[in-house]
Amino acid sequence: MSAQQIDKKKLERAIRKIKHCLALAQSANENEAATALRQAQALMREYRLTEMDVKLSDVGEVESALFRTKRRPAWDQQLSTAVAEAFSCTTLRRRKWSTAKGQVTECATFIGVSPAQNIALYAYEALHTKLTQARKAYCSAVRSGVHRSQYSAETAGDHFALAWVWEVQSKLKALVPQRDDDSPEPPTTGQGLVAIQAQEKALINEYLATLDLGKSRKGKSVELDLNAKNAGMLAGSKVDLHAGIARGGEEVHRLT
């Protein structure tokens, strides 16, 4: 593998290119944003397949600007988990005191081998914006009687959002291809990527061991409203990640 390794300066250039693509991926032009995101993914793939000497110091964490003044709902937690898994990261619920709010707030944190956590954060916040808008529209439809539910509009909206995330989760995995089908690659490429992902997971676990983490609580199983579930899955199936993962030029708003 040493013959295929690229020097440190080339790696630094690759990281700068990835970050540049991520910046372009926030463009208001959806076609430009999708192209930039795919370029970032391709660079990430090249980076991983050519650099095996990844160290604990390469593991980093980023915190979302989106926060709640109380516990994040199950659909929000599920979304951050789905995104983290797609980009070989780990996500944590970060609770801290907010001087501005005068109370404890909670947000999602992504931990990964740089710059994977940055890509995961971008995808999470972009999808969160889409899902928040879709959930709000569904809640309004329940209140107006367009959709029937045995639950309150807010609860039905939560069920809708959970189903939306489940449907989008498989799309997220496909968003990060293992290889380009149009480009010839050696048969060992897939095996090499698996080895790298295993190495990264071990480093992330080593990093997590240095943190003072409390025990995570398992979420309760919820019997979803059938109408909300079907509507959420239908809406999730229509999400085109390649064409519309960009925020559409919108600012990221904090949650109330």
Side-chain angles (χ1 to χ4, degrees):
M1 188 69 186
S2 58
Q4 298 180 14
Q5 286 185 339
I6 53 181
D7 59 39
K8 187 175 181 179
K9 288 185 178 179
K10 188 173 181 181
L11 283 173
E12 290 175 349
R13 286 197 298 272
I15 293 175
R16 284 199 299 271
K17 288 180 180 178
I18 291 170
K19 290 182 177 179
H20 178 65
C21 287
L22 287 176
L24 290 177
Q26 297 183 40
S27 165
N29 183 309
E30 289 195 344
N31 290 331
E32 180 183 88
T35 299
L37 188 62
R38 284 195 293 271
Q39 289 174 342
Q41 293 163 356
L43 286 167
M44 278 288 295
R45 206 155 55 247
E46 177 186 354
Y47 178 96
R48 288 292 175 259
L49 292 173
T50 53
E51 172 57 30
M52 292 292 286
D53 187 23
V54 182
K55 305 174 290 297
L56 180 61
S57 59
D58 295 318
V59 178
E61 63 178 86
V62 289
E63 194 173 276
S64 174
L66 300 169
F67 64 80
R68 289 267 182 175
T69 53
K70 54 184 178 180
R71 182 183 176 127
R72 288 160 56 224
W75 59 263
D76 190 348
Q77 295 180 45
Q78 186 62 36
L79 178 62
S80 60
T81 297
V83 169
E85 290 178 353
F87 294 100
S88 301
C89 294
T90 291
T91 184
L92 300 176
R93 290 169 47 211
R94 178 63 51 81
R95 295 180 63 81
K96 64 180 183 180
W97 176 261
S98 171
T99 303
K101 289 288 184 180
Q103 62 188 101
V104 175
T105 60
E106 180 178 304
C107 67
T109 298
F110 294 91
I111 298 173
V113 177
S114 297
Q117 74 272 22
N118 297 100
I119 295 179
L121 175 63
Y122 163 75
Y124 164 74
E125 292 187 342
L127 287 170
H128 194 288
T129 297
K130 283 182 171 294
L131 178 50
T132 299
Q133 293 171 345
R135 180 186 175 279
K136 183 178 179 180
Y138 186 78
C139 287
S140 296
V142 171
R143 292 191 188 96
S144 64
V146 174
H147 294 301
R148 295 179 178 276
S149 177
Q150 59 180 316
Y151 299 94
S152 68
E154 288 298 313
T155 299
D158 289 343
H159 293 183
F160 167 92
L162 274 171
W164 190 98
V165 173
W166 295 339
E167 192 68 25
V168 169
Q169 190 164 9
S170 60
K171 293 179 177 244
L172 269 171
K173 293 178 181 177
L175 185 65
V176 188
Q178 298 297 303
R179 55 172 291 173
D180 287 325
D181 295 333
D182 297 334
S183 62
E185 289 181 325
T188 56
T189 295
Q191 297 174 2
L193 194 57
V194 170
I196 292 169
Q197 289 171 340
Q199 181 188 31
E200 291 176 351
K201 184 176 181 180
L203 286 172
I204 291 173
N205 287 336
E206 187 177 348
Y207 179 90
L208 291 173
T210 66
L211 304 179
D212 183 18
L213 301 176
K215 292 184 179 180
S216 60
R217 293 186 296 177
K218 290 186 177 180
K220 298 179 180 179
S221 58
V222 179
E223 184 177 348
L224 301 187
D225 176 89
L226 185 59
N227 290 333
K229 178 181 177 181
N230 290 338
M233 292 180 68
L234 179 61
S237 69
K238 294 179 179 179
V239 174
D240 187 348
L241 298 181
H242 286 287
I245 197 171
R247 297 193 186 102
E250 297 176 359
E251 293 294 327
V252 177
H253 297 290
R254 284 177 170 78
L255 304 176
T256 56

